[in-house]
Amino acid sequence: MPFNENSRVKLPAILHLCRLGYQYLSLKNAKYDEQTNIFTDIFKESILRINPLLTELEAKREFDKVSLTLENEDIGQAFHNMLTSNSGIKLIDFKDFSNNSFHVVTELTYKNGDDEFRPDITLLINGMPLVFIEVKKPNNHDGIIEEHRRIETRFQNKKFRKFVNMTQMMIFSNNMPY
């Protein structure tokens, strides 16, 4: 096996995430909303499980509400408030964390028109892409810094607003001890 980013950093990271309880999900037949990158089936199933009194129509309305909230020019504050809210419809079950769905995908395209980027690894909680991870080969310090600069530039692009507002954490790794 060649020693590259995939073999040295990405695959070990994915294996570690799977050991932590994330389920690997192939994008081949995945169903997700390209405007938000929310995996709609997982989202609906999770929201209905977390909020057992919710109807399917109300779950669909909640998805629409999330999508609309992601258009705000507030750097994700309104969405974060929805995520962490203790009242109303819950997007994440913080009381029983095992009640949530955890998935990991690779190379999920964040696209709006002709502009796009693909984080190496994306973590989904209840179908929502809340974390992305960029990996570089070990000892590639400049690669991490350069990737950080690219993300800063991309996140200033208003075409990526929904993705920026949804992202709760960005991780840059070169598989070195921290």
Side-chain angles (χ1 to χ4, degrees):
M1 178 184 282
F3 291 111
N4 56 32
E5 283 178 3
N6 284 339
S7 67
R8 297 291 302 272
V9 187
K10 188 192 292 187
L11 289 175
I14 292 167
L15 289 172
H16 183 68
L17 289 162
C18 288
R19 283 192 296 269
L20 290 174
Y22 283 84
Q23 180 181 358
Y24 179 78
L25 183 65
S26 170
L27 293 178
K28 188 174 184 179
N29 296 314
K31 184 177 176 186
Y32 61 94
D33 174 66
E34 292 184 7
Q35 301 298 310
T36 61
N37 279 1
I38 294 175
F39 285 63
T40 51
D41 289 346
I42 298 170
F43 178 85
K44 183 176 90 172
E45 176 187 306
S46 299
I47 297 309
L48 290 171
R49 182 178 54 252
I50 294 168
N51 303 277
L53 300 177
L54 209 62
T55 66
E56 289 205 20
L57 181 59
E58 290 169 324
K60 166 72 172 108
R61 283 191 199 130
E62 191 65 15
F63 171 83
D64 293 341
K65 182 179 171 185
V66 166
S67 184
L68 187 61
T69 301
L70 293 173
E71 293 179 11
N72 292 355
E73 287 195 43
D74 63 354
I75 314 173
Q77 183 64 51
F79 176 69
H80 182 265
N81 291 343
M82 288 177 76
L83 274 180
T84 57
S85 176
N86 288 326
S87 61
I89 298 172
K90 293 183 180 15
L91 299 178
I92 296 177
D93 188 341
F94 287 103
K95 290 189 176 168
D96 181 3
F97 224 60
S98 66
N99 206 17
N100 298 295
S101 297
F102 299 92
H103 293 87
V104 57
V105 297
T106 58
E107 305 293 334
L108 176 63
T109 302
Y110 287 65
K111 183 174 183 165
N112 188 332
D114 293 335
D115 294 331
E116 68 178 57
F117 68 98
R118 257 185 325 275
D120 294 320
I121 300 169
T122 303
L123 303 182
L124 310 171
I125 300 178
N126 297 334
M128 298 175 288
L130 301 181
V131 178
F132 74 78
I133 304 169
E134 285 291 342
V135 297
K136 295 294 171 209
K137 287 188 241 180
N139 299 315
N140 186 353
H141 181 70
D142 291 339
I144 293 288
I145 292 171
E146 193 54 42
E147 191 61 48
H148 183 267
R149 284 188 192 121
R150 280 193 291 271
I151 290 300
E152 276 187 309
T153 301
R154 287 177 187 139
F155 274 26
Q156 290 174 14
N157 183 341
K158 290 185 186 277
K159 289 183 176 184
F160 295 131
R161 176 175 295 130
K162 284 189 173 189
F163 306 124
V164 172
N165 285 346
M166 182 168 282
T167 301
Q168 299 300 299
M169 187 179 297
M170 294 177 273
I171 301 169
F172 300 87
S173 175
N174 60 0
N175 210 27
M176 298 297 291
Y178 296 99

